[in-house]
């Protein structure tokens, strides 16, 4: 594992390569959760100062990880909440441009807006997204890294094309943040959403949204709660809209306390590892596995490996003590893919081990042609 991870992750009895499913907790996260549960059990916690206020440290860390000003970070429970708020601000005739087969948490809110608000949703190939932006496009919605195969979107090209036509950009960076630099402000990404329980190693129930300052007045905070006020702890009853926070905190959703308490050490651990080191370590592991299997690298920490005989491949992985994602095949045949996802708690020996285990199941035409797994 990465040197910085050695104090946070004990050696595991298995090779864990499923961070795209859920990330492993740091030692600090486990300790924080245990402490919160203890004070909850004995009734000694001050919920404001011990639990709720701690989330402000997450906001600060998120600004660093997403490359955005801290006052443009909102705290949410899930990606779909932020996506719903953004697309809910669109009007009849507006066009959402998105890749084919986009992840449900951003695609379904768009389709709901199409059905109930008259918004048009146009789906195009992932790699052709930038070239498909046009004068009718209002919002471009895309993943930074595709969770099913690890492909990386060309965000500079997408953002430039969108802004040339006056369109906004919404990026689901769930499978990039913490590994790849997101650079939301530098690239002009109007909205960036992240489910933090994967590559950001947080408890489930923690999500982050960058919403650019210039969008605050055009996107209503439709899920505003008591926590959306400028002085959140002074407006439980009868607040006015004028009391909303003067920052992106106006988009905050009331927090699941313990998840956010556990998120603080995870996010601060990641911030403590230089961004270039995080990227180089995690991506190089995926690249090594791809090279050994005769597959093209993805440029991310996620790699989809096409396999024949899915059940036999899954059994071989279990026998070698490897945890990965082996979803059922999309069609009626036996071919499928194994998704591998690497993080700071993995090393080269594990990348080579999984390549050795999977090599007998990779179709020869994939290895010889270097065909991209889909």
């Amino acid at each position: 594992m990465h040197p910085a991870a050695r104090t946070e992750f004990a050696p595991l009895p298995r090779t864990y390569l499923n961070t795209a499913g859920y990330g492993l907790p740091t030692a600090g996260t486990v300790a924080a959760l245990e402490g919160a549960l203890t004070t909850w059990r004995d009734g000694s916690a001050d919920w404001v100062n011990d639990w709720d206020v701690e989330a402000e440290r997450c906001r600060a860390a998120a600004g660093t990880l997403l490359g955005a000003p801290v006052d443009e970070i909102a705290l949410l429970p899930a990606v779909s909440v932020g996506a719903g708020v953004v697309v809910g601000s669109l009007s009849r005739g507006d066009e959402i441009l998105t890749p084919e087969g986009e992840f449900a948490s951003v695609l379904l809110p768009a389709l709901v807006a199409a059905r109930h608000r008259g918004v048009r949703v146009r789906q195009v190939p992932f790699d052709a997204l930038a070239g498909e932006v046009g004068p009718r496009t209002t919002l471009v919605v895309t993943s930074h890294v595709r969770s099913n195969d690890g492909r990386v979107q060309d965000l500079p090209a997408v953002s430039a094309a969108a802004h040339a036509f006056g369109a906004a950009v919404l990026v689901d960076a769930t499978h990039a943040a913490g590994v790849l630099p997101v650079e939301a402000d530098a690239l002009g990404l109007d909205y960036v959403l992240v489910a933090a329980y994967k590559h950001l190693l947080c408890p489930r129930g923690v999500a982050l949204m960058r919403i650019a300052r210039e969008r605050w007045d055009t996107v209503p905070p439709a899920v505003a709660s008591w926590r959306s006020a400028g002085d959140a702890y002074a407006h439980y009853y009868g607040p006015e809209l004028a009391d909303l926070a003067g920052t992106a905190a106006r988009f905050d959703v009331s927090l699941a306390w313990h998840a956010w308490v556990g998120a603080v050490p995870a996010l601060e651990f990641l911030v403590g590892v230089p961004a270039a080191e995080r990227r180089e370590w995690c991506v190089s592991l995926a690249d090594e596995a791809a090279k050994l299997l005769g597959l093209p690298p993805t440029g991310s920490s996620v790699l989809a490996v096409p396999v024949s005989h899915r059940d036999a491949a899954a059994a071989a992985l279990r026998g070698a003590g490897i945890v990965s994602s082996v979803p059922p095949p999309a069609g009626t045949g036996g071919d499928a893919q194994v998704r591998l996802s690497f993080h700071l708690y993995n090393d080269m020996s594990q990348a080579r081990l999984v390549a050795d285990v999977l090599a007998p199941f990779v179709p020869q035409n994939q290895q010889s042609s270097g065909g991209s797994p889909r």
Side-chain angles (χ1 to χ4, degrees):
M1 63 179 65
H2 185 279
R6 290 173 185 157
T7 59
E8 292 292 339
F9 301 95
L12 295 174
R14 59 191 58 83
T15 297
Y16 188 77
L17 302 179
N18 193 28
T19 299
Y22 63 87
L24 299 181
T26 65
T29 291
V30 173
L33 289 172
E34 290 175 341
L37 292 174
T38 296
T39 56
W40 177 28
R41 180 181 60 199
D42 62 27
S44 64
D46 174 344
W47 71 266
V48 173
N49 295 302
D50 294 343
W51 297 341
D52 204 80
V53 169
E54 282 289 279
E56 295 306 318
R57 293 167 60 185
C58 295
R59 200 189 309 271
T64 300
L65 292 165
L66 301 185
V70 173
D71 66 353
E72 296 183 355
I73 302 296
L75 310 181
L76 306 175
V79 161
S80 60
V81 174
V85 168
V86 173
V87 302
S89 69
L90 302 182
S91 302
R92 179 173 297 276
D94 287 342
E95 178 184 89
I96 298 173
L97 180 69
T98 190
E100 297 167 345
E102 188 50 80
F103 191 68
S105 291
V106 290
L107 177 59
L108 286 177
L111 296 178
V112 169
R115 173 174 292 183
H116 294 280
R117 301 184 65 83
V119 173
R120 179 188 181 207
V121 176
R122 183 160 61 96
Q123 301 184 53
V124 301
F126 182 79
D127 297 328
L129 187 63
E132 291 286 342
V133 181
R136 297 183 60 186
T137 305
T138 306
L139 177 67
V140 182
V141 175
T142 183
S143 292
H144 187 170
V145 172
R146 293 281 270 198
S147 63
N148 58 342
D149 59 22
R151 283 183 292 163
V152 181
Q153 185 60 265
D154 186 349
L155 292 184
V158 169
S159 182
H163 293 151
F165 286 102
V169 180
L170 183 153
V171 173
D172 180 355
T174 295
H175 294 276
V179 174
L180 302 184
V182 178
E183 300 177 336
D185 197 41
L187 292 179
L189 307 179
D190 304 87
Y191 315 102
V192 177
L193 293 163
V194 182
Y197 72 94
K198 299 190 179 193
H199 306 274
L200 291 181
L201 312 180
C202 295
R204 186 169 169 83
V206 173
L208 307 161
M209 177 169 71
R210 185 272 172 121
I211 178 166
R213 185 186 309 271
E214 56 267 27
R215 301 294 176 181
W216 294 354
D217 292 332
T218 57
V219 177
V223 292
S225 69
W226 64 269
R227 211 183 190 286
S228 309
D231 184 354
Y233 309 107
H235 294 91
Y236 301 133
Y237 306 98
E240 303 290 336
L241 281 178
D243 295 319
L244 286 174
T247 68
R250 67 179 65 183
F251 298 95
D252 282 7
V253 173
S254 188
L255 307 178
W257 291 321
H258 299 158
W260 289 88
V261 168
V264 171
L267 296 177
E268 293 183 347
F269 159 70
L270 290 170
V271 168
V273 180
E277 287 187 25
R278 282 186 267 116
R279 182 193 181 283
E280 174 61 24
W281 187 272
C282 300
V283 175
S284 66
L285 298 178
D287 286 353
E288 178 72 2
K291 181 185 73 174
L292 293 173
L293 290 167
L295 302 173
T298 62
S300 73
S301 61
V302 179
L303 176 68
V305 181
V307 295
S308 299
H309 310 295
R310 170 189 177 273
D311 292 343
L317 289 166
R318 288 194 299 272
I322 298 171
V323 180
S324 65
S325 174
V326 189
T332 57
D335 290 348
Q337 65 180 22
V338 173
R339 186 184 67 185
L340 310 174
S341 44
F342 299 85
H343 213 285
L344 296 174
Y345 37 67
N346 300 123
D347 59 32
M348 279 295 177
S349 68
Q350 295 174 329
R352 292 163 184 156
L353 171 64
V354 74
D356 287 343
V357 172
L358 288 178
F361 303 99
V362 176
Q364 290 302 306
N365 64 329
Q366 287 284 340
Q367 293 191 31
S368 60
S369 68
S372 177
R374 301 297 186 194

